[in-house]
Every structure is written in C-alpha cells, then in structure tokens.
Amino acid sequence: MKKVLLMAGGLLLLFMMNVQAQNKSVDKVIAVLGSEVILLSELNQQYVMYLNSGNPPDEKVKCYIMQQMLVQHLLKQQAEIDSVMVDDKQVDDELERRMRYQMQRAGGQDKLEEFLNKSVLQYKDELRPDVKDQLQANKMQGTITEKVSITPSEVKKYFDSYKKDSLPDIPAEYEVGEITLNPELTKAEKQRYMDKLDAIRLRVKSGEDFGFLAKTYSEDPGSAPEGGDLGFFSRGDMAKEFTAWSFKLKAGEISPVFETEFGFHVLQVIERRGEQVHARHILIRPQNTPQSLDRAKLHADSIYTNIMDKKLSFSTAASLYSADKESKYNGGMILFADNVTARTTFIPADKLDPKVYQVIDTMKVGEISKPVPFTGQDGKQGYKIVFLKSSVPAHKGNLDQDYTKFKEKAQQQKSDRVMSEWFEKRRKNTYIRIDSDYQDCSELKIWTKPQTSTETK
C-alpha cells in the first residue's frame, strides 16, 4: 500500500511540475469574454487545485474548468455593473479555508510548497483575485435567483413529473437532540498553560522573533504556519476578549496573556486602519485533566437525573448547560448541516455523527440516554446526553412525508431555469472568442454559437 501511495504521489508531482513548466512558458490568452480575458496560466492554476484535491489526472477536465471560468467571468461582469461586491474579510476567510484544505491534501505546508515551487503566501497572493471573482460571481448568482419562489401547485406538478417507479428512495431519518458538556479547568489547572504562554511572551519582549515563536509554539492551525498572522479583521470578527485587546493596543504593542473560548492568547498589533486591525497571535489550547473529566461526568449525571425526575425539560437543560452553541438555542436539537438554508432537524442516518448514531440505534423514540463519553473534532473529551425525538423509516418519496424535499428540488429546478435564461441572454449580447485548442470541448459548444447581429457588427 505504501508503495502504491508513493507512486501516486510521484505521478501527482510530475503532473504538477508539468503544469509549472507550462506556467513558466509564454502565457497566452485562451478566451475573451467581453472586455476580459482568460489566460492559460489561470486555467493551469485551477487544474493544479483539481489535482491536489485527490482527483486523477484528466486533460478533459480542463474543458469543464474553462466552462466554469466563463460562467464566473460573465457573472462577475454583471456584478460590477450592478455594484454587487464582496468585502476583504470574506475573501480572507475563503483563502484560509482553501489553504487549510490544500495543505491537508498535500501532507502539510512544506509538501504543498514543494509541489507548487512557491511559498503559501505567494500562492495566496496569486489566488486572491480569482477567489474574489468567484465570491462576487456567487453573490451575483444569488441576486439573480433570490426572488425565485415556488407555489404548492408547482411542487405538485414537479412531483407528478416523476414516474412511480422512479421516485427517489428516502433513507431513514432521525431528529436528535444533544446536551454537550465539556470539562472545565480550575484556576490552578489553567495557570500551568498561562505560565507556559507568558514565558513565550517574555521571550518576545526580550527580542526574539514573534513569527518564529508562533510557528514553533502556536496551536492555531490556521495562523501558525503564517507566523500567527491573522490579517486585517473588524470588531465583530473575533471573540470579544480578543477584539478588546486588539483595539486597545497600539501598533507594535504586545498583550498580556488572556483567555477566550479557544484557549490562551498573546497577540501583537501590527497595524491599524480605521476600524480594522492587522494582528498576529500565539494560541495555547489547554488540555483536559482526569479530574476535570470526572467533574464533567458528575455534572452530566446531575443534569440527567433532573431531566428524568421532571425537574428540567431536555430543551431547558440544553439552553442552560450545553456547550454546543449551534444546538443549545434550538432546544438542543441538531440541525442538518448539509442543508443550512432549510434549517431542518431531520437528518439522514448516513449523515449523523457515527458515535451519536451508535447511541440512538438502541433507543426508542422519546428516550433520553444516560451521559456518554465523546471526543470532539478538536480531540477534546467530554460527555453528551442524547435525545431521540423522532425517526422516519426508509421509504419511497411521497408528498405527505417529503413535501419540503420536493419543494426544495422544484425551487432549484426553477432557479436553474432562470439562470439558464439569464446566461443565454447575456451570451448572445457578449463578445466571446475561445482559443482553437478548446473548440472541440463539448462543454463549450454553447459558448461558440453564432451571436446576434447586434454584437457582431
């Protein structure tokens, strides 16, 4: 297995080196869309991201990428006309998300930089314009479809368009609530971490490089590789304690050790621009102790007993004690993360946390579990009390049980139709030229149709 993985990695590196070689060669315009051009280097950059996402090399994918770039540019041009803009914070957040994913896929920052033959900072700078264009295009698309609505008769018509033997299979779904209890450290237990970070802070005060110490000691995976650099942010972007120190300090000043929900921080302000601050920080995350876990278990047992004795309802207990911010204000009920807009609490079995599913698998509807241990995505342990509110067995789709699902699909179909009509109208009235190397792409045939006489004059 190891040998196969090494071979696959070698092939990926060869393909990426080939793309780099193409980028170093004379760049050329491969498409013109109105007043904008698409360069070969931009297409190759997208292809590198496709490869680094674990996909197999496939030159035909470049046709699809080209199509997506044309769509993006057309939407972006309209966004500029309609003043549909995105702010720098949105761009920064999306860049950070992509970098974390790319580094994870490559096996770390060093491996990614080796593949790209450039630093992550350079790569981010190159990606920034394209990421901004993509976000702007997405926002424009949302603006075009935001007024699309669907009536019950349209939902019924959409449902009736299915043949009876082609109705979708709906998997088993569950409504699950949880009360999450994380261990809390005592003042004495916290002091050990505060002392560790304060010793690092004193090293900075003594002249050692903040960025180097952040790379070495910070436990923030997003900023540590960048020397703790968080870029510019506004007052509402960070935890309140972090914001307070960021806007209190002058450029160059270093904060004392302070605590947020994420752990203990030391930050340094780099620059202020009006109501934005550019800062960097070092984060130390405290770890649970056996004693803190025991205290959490006792707390969880007490809450469970009060619920079973009818002294507290599950929803009240969740709002009072649960550490999960997303569910505690929803009566403890977990929302389906794959469908945020619908805010549904019905979750397919295969989308539930496997550990939660193991608990409810032996429960009856209406039952509440005793506290069970769990490990969060951050590796920290704690306890959960789980409530199985309802379950829907697997079945063939029908309007009685699945009206919301068919409504969403009908609305998506209608939105797609609106977008298709918009694109066709814009395509006919926009000058488009595609390089001959891509004329055979089936995905691009629609873009090379004859244009209106008005445009070609």
PDB file of all heavy atoms in Angstrom, residues 181-210:
ATOM      1  N   LEU A 181     -21.394  18.516  27.185  1.00  0.00           N
ATOM      2  CA  LEU A 181     -20.752  19.020  28.395  1.00  0.00           C
ATOM      3  C   LEU A 181     -19.247  18.830  28.293  1.00  0.00           C
ATOM      4  O   LEU A 181     -18.751  17.701  28.216  1.00  0.00           O
ATOM      5  CB  LEU A 181     -21.297  18.283  29.622  1.00  0.00           C
ATOM      6  CG  LEU A 181     -22.807  18.490  29.836  1.00  0.00           C
ATOM      7  CD1 LEU A 181     -23.379  17.402  30.706  1.00  0.00           C
ATOM      8  CD2 LEU A 181     -23.066  19.848  30.460  1.00  0.00           C
ATOM      9  N   ASN A 182     -18.540  19.949  28.229  1.00  0.00           N
ATOM     10  CA  ASN A 182     -17.080  19.912  28.159  1.00  0.00           C
ATOM     11  C   ASN A 182     -16.478  20.127  29.540  1.00  0.00           C
ATOM     12  O   ASN A 182     -16.997  20.922  30.333  1.00  0.00           O
ATOM     13  CB  ASN A 182     -16.566  21.008  27.220  1.00  0.00           C
ATOM     14  CG  ASN A 182     -16.996  20.782  25.783  1.00  0.00           C
ATOM     15  OD1 ASN A 182     -17.130  19.639  25.334  1.00  0.00           O
ATOM     16  ND2 ASN A 182     -17.223  21.859  25.049  1.00  0.00           N
ATOM     17  N   PRO A 183     -15.384  19.441  29.849  1.00  0.00           N
ATOM     18  CA  PRO A 183     -14.725  19.654  31.144  1.00  0.00           C
ATOM     19  C   PRO A 183     -14.246  21.091  31.288  1.00  0.00           C
ATOM     20  O   PRO A 183     -13.849  21.722  30.308  1.00  0.00           O
ATOM     21  CB  PRO A 183     -13.538  18.682  31.098  1.00  0.00           C
ATOM     22  CG  PRO A 183     -13.904  17.676  30.068  1.00  0.00           C
ATOM     23  CD  PRO A 183     -14.715  18.412  29.047  1.00  0.00           C
ATOM     24  N   GLU A 184     -14.302  21.610  32.489  1.00  0.00           N
ATOM     25  CA  GLU A 184     -13.795  22.946  32.771  1.00  0.00           C
ATOM     26  C   GLU A 184     -12.642  22.837  33.762  1.00  0.00           C
ATOM     27  O   GLU A 184     -12.721  22.110  34.752  1.00  0.00           O
ATOM     28  CB  GLU A 184     -14.906  23.837  33.349  1.00  0.00           C
ATOM     29  CG  GLU A 184     -16.026  24.112  32.349  1.00  0.00           C
ATOM     30  CD  GLU A 184     -17.055  25.076  32.901  1.00  0.00           C
ATOM     31  OE1 GLU A 184     -16.842  25.589  34.020  1.00  0.00           O
ATOM     32  OE2 GLU A 184     -18.070  25.310  32.221  1.00  0.00           O
ATOM     33  N   LEU A 185     -11.570  23.548  33.463  1.00  0.00           N
ATOM     34  CA  LEU A 185     -10.390  23.507  34.323  1.00  0.00           C
ATOM     35  C   LEU A 185     -10.541  24.479  35.490  1.00  0.00           C
ATOM     36  O   LEU A 185     -11.180  25.529  35.372  1.00  0.00           O
ATOM     37  CB  LEU A 185      -9.143  23.879  33.517  1.00  0.00           C
ATOM     38  CG  LEU A 185      -8.794  22.989  32.317  1.00  0.00           C
ATOM     39  CD1 LEU A 185      -7.485  23.459  31.684  1.00  0.00           C
ATOM     40  CD2 LEU A 185      -8.696  21.528  32.708  1.00  0.00           C
ATOM     41  N   THR A 186      -9.934  24.123  36.598  1.00  0.00           N
ATOM     42  CA  THR A 186      -9.893  25.034  37.734  1.00  0.00           C
ATOM     43  C   THR A 186      -8.860  26.121  37.459  1.00  0.00           C
ATOM     44  O   THR A 186      -8.060  26.023  36.518  1.00  0.00           O
ATOM     45  CB  THR A 186      -9.506  24.284  39.009  1.00  0.00           C
ATOM     46  OG1 THR A 186      -8.179  23.767  38.852  1.00  0.00           O
ATOM     47  CG2 THR A 186     -10.470  23.131  39.294  1.00  0.00           C
ATOM     48  N   LYS A 187      -8.861  27.145  38.299  1.00  0.00           N
ATOM     49  CA  LYS A 187      -7.900  28.235  38.149  1.00  0.00           C
ATOM     50  C   LYS A 187      -6.466  27.714  38.234  1.00  0.00           C
ATOM     51  O   LYS A 187      -5.589  28.140  37.472  1.00  0.00           O
ATOM     52  CB  LYS A 187      -8.151  29.288  39.222  1.00  0.00           C
ATOM     53  CG  LYS A 187      -7.305  30.540  39.058  1.00  0.00           C
ATOM     54  CD  LYS A 187      -7.683  31.597  40.089  1.00  0.00           C
ATOM     55  CE  LYS A 187      -6.835  32.859  39.903  1.00  0.00           C
ATOM     56  NZ  LYS A 187      -7.207  33.903  40.903  1.00  0.00           N
ATOM     57  N   ALA A 188      -6.243  26.762  39.141  1.00  0.00           N
ATOM     58  CA  ALA A 188      -4.899  26.206  39.305  1.00  0.00           C
ATOM     59  C   ALA A 188      -4.483  25.396  38.076  1.00  0.00           C
ATOM     60  O   ALA A 188      -3.321  25.440  37.644  1.00  0.00           O
ATOM     61  CB  ALA A 188      -4.839  25.333  40.559  1.00  0.00           C
ATOM     62  N   GLU A 189      -5.439  24.661  37.487  1.00  0.00           N
ATOM     63  CA  GLU A 189      -5.137  23.863  36.293  1.00  0.00           C
ATOM     64  C   GLU A 189      -4.839  24.764  35.094  1.00  0.00           C
ATOM     65  O   GLU A 189      -3.991  24.447  34.262  1.00  0.00           O
ATOM     66  CB  GLU A 189      -6.312  22.927  35.992  1.00  0.00           C
ATOM     67  CG  GLU A 189      -6.448  21.781  36.993  1.00  0.00           C
ATOM     68  CD  GLU A 189      -7.754  21.024  36.842  1.00  0.00           C
ATOM     69  OE1 GLU A 189      -8.738  21.601  36.317  1.00  0.00           O
ATOM     70  OE2 GLU A 189      -7.807  19.857  37.254  1.00  0.00           O
ATOM     71  N   LYS A 190      -5.538  25.887  35.007  1.00  0.00           N
ATOM     72  CA  LYS A 190      -5.309  26.830  33.905  1.00  0.00           C
ATOM     73  C   LYS A 190      -3.957  27.529  34.030  1.00  0.00           C
ATOM     74  O   LYS A 190      -3.323  27.866  33.028  1.00  0.00           O
ATOM     75  CB  LYS A 190      -6.415  27.882  33.875  1.00  0.00           C
ATOM     76  CG  LYS A 190      -7.769  27.380  33.425  1.00  0.00           C
ATOM     77  CD  LYS A 190      -8.787  28.520  33.432  1.00  0.00           C
ATOM     78  CE  LYS A 190     -10.144  28.052  32.961  1.00  0.00           C
ATOM     79  NZ  LYS A 190     -11.129  29.172  32.952  1.00  0.00           N
ATOM     80  N   GLN A 191      -3.523  27.723  35.259  1.00  0.00           N
ATOM     81  CA  GLN A 191      -2.321  28.520  35.494  1.00  0.00           C
ATOM     82  C   GLN A 191      -1.101  27.937  34.801  1.00  0.00           C
ATOM     83  O   GLN A 191      -0.224  28.669  34.331  1.00  0.00           O
ATOM     84  CB  GLN A 191      -2.066  28.651  36.998  1.00  0.00           C
ATOM     85  CG  GLN A 191      -1.026  29.698  37.356  1.00  0.00           C
ATOM     86  CD  GLN A 191      -1.442  31.101  36.942  1.00  0.00           C
ATOM     87  OE1 GLN A 191      -2.579  31.519  37.189  1.00  0.00           O
ATOM     88  NE2 GLN A 191      -0.537  31.830  36.299  1.00  0.00           N
ATOM     89  N   ARG A 192      -1.030  26.613  34.709  1.00  0.00           N
ATOM     90  CA  ARG A 192       0.113  25.965  34.062  1.00  0.00           C
ATOM     91  C   ARG A 192       0.241  26.402  32.606  1.00  0.00           C
ATOM     92  O   ARG A 192       1.349  26.651  32.107  1.00  0.00           O
ATOM     93  CB  ARG A 192      -0.046  24.436  34.142  1.00  0.00           C
ATOM     94  CG  ARG A 192       1.084  23.648  33.500  1.00  0.00           C
ATOM     95  CD  ARG A 192       1.041  22.213  33.986  1.00  0.00           C
ATOM     96  NE  ARG A 192      -0.169  21.529  33.576  1.00  0.00           N
ATOM     97  CZ  ARG A 192      -0.277  20.826  32.438  1.00  0.00           C
ATOM     98  NH1 ARG A 192       0.753  20.757  31.609  1.00  0.00           N
ATOM     99  NH2 ARG A 192      -1.386  20.199  32.154  1.00  0.00           N
ATOM    100  N   TYR A 193      -0.885  26.507  31.901  1.00  0.00           N
ATOM    101  CA  TYR A 193      -0.869  26.921  30.496  1.00  0.00           C
ATOM    102  C   TYR A 193      -0.586  28.417  30.364  1.00  0.00           C
ATOM    103  O   TYR A 193       0.107  28.848  29.439  1.00  0.00           O
ATOM    104  CB  TYR A 193      -2.200  26.563  29.834  1.00  0.00           C
ATOM    105  CG  TYR A 193      -2.452  25.079  29.805  1.00  0.00           C
ATOM    106  CD1 TYR A 193      -3.240  24.476  30.783  1.00  0.00           C
ATOM    107  CD2 TYR A 193      -1.863  24.268  28.840  1.00  0.00           C
ATOM    108  CE1 TYR A 193      -3.457  23.098  30.776  1.00  0.00           C
ATOM    109  CE2 TYR A 193      -2.073  22.894  28.829  1.00  0.00           C
ATOM    110  CZ  TYR A 193      -2.865  22.316  29.799  1.00  0.00           C
ATOM    111  OH  TYR A 193      -3.069  20.958  29.803  1.00  0.00           O
ATOM    112  N   MET A 194      -1.120  29.182  31.305  1.00  0.00           N
ATOM    113  CA  MET A 194      -0.869  30.619  31.286  1.00  0.00           C
ATOM    114  C   MET A 194       0.615  30.916  31.517  1.00  0.00           C
ATOM    115  O   MET A 194       1.201  31.786  30.864  1.00  0.00           O
ATOM    116  CB  MET A 194      -1.718  31.317  32.347  1.00  0.00           C
ATOM    117  CG  MET A 194      -3.209  31.236  32.083  1.00  0.00           C
ATOM    118  SD  MET A 194      -4.224  32.027  33.361  1.00  0.00           S
ATOM    119  CE  MET A 194      -3.835  33.743  33.049  1.00  0.00           C
ATOM    120  N   ASP A 195       1.219  30.158  32.426  1.00  0.00           N
ATOM    121  CA  ASP A 195       2.647  30.340  32.703  1.00  0.00           C
ATOM    122  C   ASP A 195       3.496  29.972  31.476  1.00  0.00           C
ATOM    123  O   ASP A 195       4.488  30.654  31.168  1.00  0.00           O
ATOM    124  CB  ASP A 195       3.073  29.492  33.903  1.00  0.00           C
ATOM    125  CG  ASP A 195       2.499  30.011  35.218  1.00  0.00           C
ATOM    126  OD1 ASP A 195       2.039  31.164  35.242  1.00  0.00           O
ATOM    127  OD2 ASP A 195       2.502  29.242  36.211  1.00  0.00           O
ATOM    128  N   LYS A 196       3.107  28.906  30.794  1.00  0.00           N
ATOM    129  CA  LYS A 196       3.838  28.488  29.599  1.00  0.00           C
ATOM    130  C   LYS A 196       3.805  29.584  28.534  1.00  0.00           C
ATOM    131  O   LYS A 196       4.825  29.918  27.924  1.00  0.00           O
ATOM    132  CB  LYS A 196       3.233  27.194  29.039  1.00  0.00           C
ATOM    133  CG  LYS A 196       3.870  26.724  27.733  1.00  0.00           C
ATOM    134  CD  LYS A 196       3.172  25.467  27.203  1.00  0.00           C
ATOM    135  CE  LYS A 196       3.774  25.059  25.860  1.00  0.00           C
ATOM    136  NZ  LYS A 196       3.102  23.836  25.318  1.00  0.00           N
ATOM    137  N   LEU A 197       2.614  30.156  28.315  1.00  0.00           N
ATOM    138  CA  LEU A 197       2.476  31.181  27.292  1.00  0.00           C
ATOM    139  C   LEU A 197       3.147  32.486  27.727  1.00  0.00           C
ATOM    140  O   LEU A 197       3.725  33.206  26.904  1.00  0.00           O
ATOM    141  CB  LEU A 197       0.998  31.421  26.981  1.00  0.00           C
ATOM    142  CG  LEU A 197       0.681  32.372  25.820  1.00  0.00           C
ATOM    143  CD1 LEU A 197       1.424  31.967  24.554  1.00  0.00           C
ATOM    144  CD2 LEU A 197      -0.823  32.407  25.555  1.00  0.00           C
ATOM    145  N   ASP A 198       3.095  32.779  29.019  1.00  0.00           N
ATOM    146  CA  ASP A 198       3.735  34.002  29.495  1.00  0.00           C
ATOM    147  C   ASP A 198       5.254  33.929  29.319  1.00  0.00           C
ATOM    148  O   ASP A 198       5.905  34.953  29.040  1.00  0.00           O
ATOM    149  CB  ASP A 198       3.391  34.250  30.967  1.00  0.00           C
ATOM    150  CG  ASP A 198       3.664  35.686  31.391  1.00  0.00           C
ATOM    151  OD1 ASP A 198       3.258  36.597  30.644  1.00  0.00           O
ATOM    152  OD2 ASP A 198       4.314  35.888  32.430  1.00  0.00           O
ATOM    153  N   ALA A 199       5.822  32.717  29.449  1.00  0.00           N
ATOM    154  CA  ALA A 199       7.261  32.550  29.227  1.00  0.00           C
ATOM    155  C   ALA A 199       7.608  32.833  27.764  1.00  0.00           C
ATOM    156  O   ALA A 199       8.646  33.452  27.466  1.00  0.00           O
ATOM    157  CB  ALA A 199       7.682  31.129  29.607  1.00  0.00           C
ATOM    158  N   ILE A 200       6.727  32.438  26.852  1.00  0.00           N
ATOM    159  CA  ILE A 200       6.941  32.737  25.423  1.00  0.00           C
ATOM    160  C   ILE A 200       6.818  34.234  25.189  1.00  0.00           C
ATOM    161  O   ILE A 200       7.598  34.835  24.441  1.00  0.00           O
ATOM    162  CB  ILE A 200       5.915  31.962  24.566  1.00  0.00           C
ATOM    163  CG1 ILE A 200       6.129  30.449  24.719  1.00  0.00           C
ATOM    164  CG2 ILE A 200       6.025  32.367  23.096  1.00  0.00           C
ATOM    165  CD1 ILE A 200       5.042  29.603  24.081  1.00  0.00           C
ATOM    166  N   ARG A 201       5.840  34.854  25.833  1.00  0.00           N
ATOM    167  CA  ARG A 201       5.645  36.302  25.710  1.00  0.00           C
ATOM    168  C   ARG A 201       6.896  37.064  26.162  1.00  0.00           C
ATOM    169  O   ARG A 201       7.319  38.032  25.503  1.00  0.00           O
ATOM    170  CB  ARG A 201       4.442  36.712  26.556  1.00  0.00           C
ATOM    171  CG  ARG A 201       4.207  38.206  26.643  1.00  0.00           C
ATOM    172  CD  ARG A 201       3.006  38.501  27.543  1.00  0.00           C
ATOM    173  NE  ARG A 201       2.873  39.925  27.764  1.00  0.00           N
ATOM    174  CZ  ARG A 201       3.494  40.600  28.720  1.00  0.00           C
ATOM    175  NH1 ARG A 201       4.311  39.956  29.558  1.00  0.00           N
ATOM    176  NH2 ARG A 201       3.315  41.895  28.853  1.00  0.00           N
ATOM    177  N   LEU A 202       7.508  36.631  27.259  1.00  0.00           N
ATOM    178  CA  LEU A 202       8.714  37.290  27.760  1.00  0.00           C
ATOM    179  C   LEU A 202       9.875  37.143  26.778  1.00  0.00           C
ATOM    180  O   LEU A 202      10.716  38.039  26.663  1.00  0.00           O
ATOM    181  CB  LEU A 202       9.085  36.729  29.130  1.00  0.00           C
ATOM    182  CG  LEU A 202       8.132  37.099  30.271  1.00  0.00           C
ATOM    183  CD1 LEU A 202       8.522  36.363  31.555  1.00  0.00           C
ATOM    184  CD2 LEU A 202       8.105  38.609  30.493  1.00  0.00           C
ATOM    185  N   ARG A 203       9.908  36.022  26.051  1.00  0.00           N
ATOM    186  CA  ARG A 203      10.943  35.829  25.037  1.00  0.00           C
ATOM    187  C   ARG A 203      10.776  36.848  23.904  1.00  0.00           C
ATOM    188  O   ARG A 203      11.752  37.358  23.357  1.00  0.00           O
ATOM    189  CB  ARG A 203      10.903  34.400  24.506  1.00  0.00           C
ATOM    190  CG  ARG A 203      11.389  33.366  25.517  1.00  0.00           C
ATOM    191  CD  ARG A 203      11.135  31.947  25.044  1.00  0.00           C
ATOM    192  NE  ARG A 203      11.896  31.620  23.834  1.00  0.00           N
ATOM    193  CZ  ARG A 203      11.844  30.425  23.240  1.00  0.00           C
ATOM    194  NH1 ARG A 203      11.071  29.459  23.758  1.00  0.00           N
ATOM    195  NH2 ARG A 203      12.553  30.194  22.156  1.00  0.00           N
ATOM    196  N   VAL A 204       9.518  37.120  23.546  1.00  0.00           N
ATOM    197  CA  VAL A 204       9.266  38.148  22.529  1.00  0.00           C
ATOM    198  C   VAL A 204       9.709  39.514  23.043  1.00  0.00           C
ATOM    199  O   VAL A 204      10.364  40.280  22.330  1.00  0.00           O
ATOM    200  CB  VAL A 204       7.760  38.196  22.148  1.00  0.00           C
ATOM    201  CG1 VAL A 204       7.497  39.326  21.167  1.00  0.00           C
ATOM    202  CG2 VAL A 204       7.317  36.862  21.548  1.00  0.00           C
ATOM    203  N   LYS A 205       9.345  39.808  24.283  1.00  0.00           N
ATOM    204  CA  LYS A 205       9.719  41.091  24.884  1.00  0.00           C
ATOM    205  C   LYS A 205      11.239  41.252  24.955  1.00  0.00           C
ATOM    206  O   LYS A 205      11.757  42.374  24.931  1.00  0.00           O
ATOM    207  CB  LYS A 205       9.129  41.202  26.292  1.00  0.00           C
ATOM    208  CG  LYS A 205       7.600  41.182  26.347  1.00  0.00           C
ATOM    209  CD  LYS A 205       6.985  42.490  25.904  1.00  0.00           C
ATOM    210  CE  LYS A 205       7.068  43.528  26.995  1.00  0.00           C
ATOM    211  NZ  LYS A 205       6.352  44.782  26.628  1.00  0.00           N
ATOM    212  N   SER A 206      11.942  40.102  25.029  1.00  0.00           N
ATOM    213  CA  SER A 206      13.401  40.137  25.120  1.00  0.00           C
ATOM    214  C   SER A 206      14.063  40.251  23.752  1.00  0.00           C
ATOM    215  O   SER A 206      15.294  40.283  23.665  1.00  0.00           O
ATOM    216  CB  SER A 206      13.914  38.880  25.841  1.00  0.00           C
ATOM    217  OG  SER A 206      13.414  38.835  27.168  1.00  0.00           O
ATOM    218  N   GLY A 207      13.247  40.237  22.689  1.00  0.00           N
ATOM    219  CA  GLY A 207      13.809  40.456  21.361  1.00  0.00           C
ATOM    220  C   GLY A 207      13.689  39.297  20.389  1.00  0.00           C
ATOM    221  O   GLY A 207      14.069  39.422  19.220  1.00  0.00           O
ATOM    222  N   GLU A 208      13.178  38.137  20.841  1.00  0.00           N
ATOM    223  CA  GLU A 208      13.030  37.006  19.916  1.00  0.00           C
ATOM    224  C   GLU A 208      11.888  37.281  18.937  1.00  0.00           C
ATOM    225  O   GLU A 208      10.952  38.025  19.228  1.00  0.00           O
ATOM    226  CB  GLU A 208      12.781  35.703  20.688  1.00  0.00           C
ATOM    227  CG  GLU A 208      13.983  35.244  21.497  1.00  0.00           C
ATOM    228  CD  GLU A 208      13.822  33.821  22.014  1.00  0.00           C
ATOM    229  OE1 GLU A 208      13.477  32.938  21.197  1.00  0.00           O
ATOM    230  OE2 GLU A 208      14.046  33.605  23.208  1.00  0.00           O
ATOM    231  N   ASP A 209      11.972  36.663  17.771  1.00  0.00           N
ATOM    232  CA  ASP A 209      11.027  36.926  16.686  1.00  0.00           C
ATOM    233  C   ASP A 209       9.652  36.321  16.992  1.00  0.00           C
ATOM    234  O   ASP A 209       9.529  35.111  17.222  1.00  0.00           O
ATOM    235  CB  ASP A 209      11.559  36.348  15.365  1.00  0.00           C
ATOM    236  CG  ASP A 209      10.626  36.635  14.216  1.00  0.00           C
ATOM    237  OD1 ASP A 209      10.440  37.812  13.888  1.00  0.00           O
ATOM    238  OD2 ASP A 209      10.063  35.675  13.660  1.00  0.00           O
ATOM    239  N   PHE A 210       8.613  37.165  16.981  1.00  0.00           N
ATOM    240  CA  PHE A 210       7.246  36.724  17.267  1.00  0.00           C
ATOM    241  C   PHE A 210       6.805  35.655  16.268  1.00  0.00           C
ATOM    242  O   PHE A 210       6.232  34.636  16.644  1.00  0.00           O
ATOM    243  CB  PHE A 210       6.297  37.923  17.224  1.00  0.00           C
ATOM    244  CG  PHE A 210       4.914  37.645  17.753  1.00  0.00           C
ATOM    245  CD1 PHE A 210       4.513  38.144  18.973  1.00  0.00           C
ATOM    246  CD2 PHE A 210       3.997  36.894  17.011  1.00  0.00           C
ATOM    247  CE1 PHE A 210       3.232  37.891  19.465  1.00  0.00           C
ATOM    248  CE2 PHE A 210       2.726  36.623  17.493  1.00  0.00           C
ATOM    249  CZ  PHE A 210       2.336  37.132  18.730  1.00  0.00           C
TER     250      PHE A 210
END
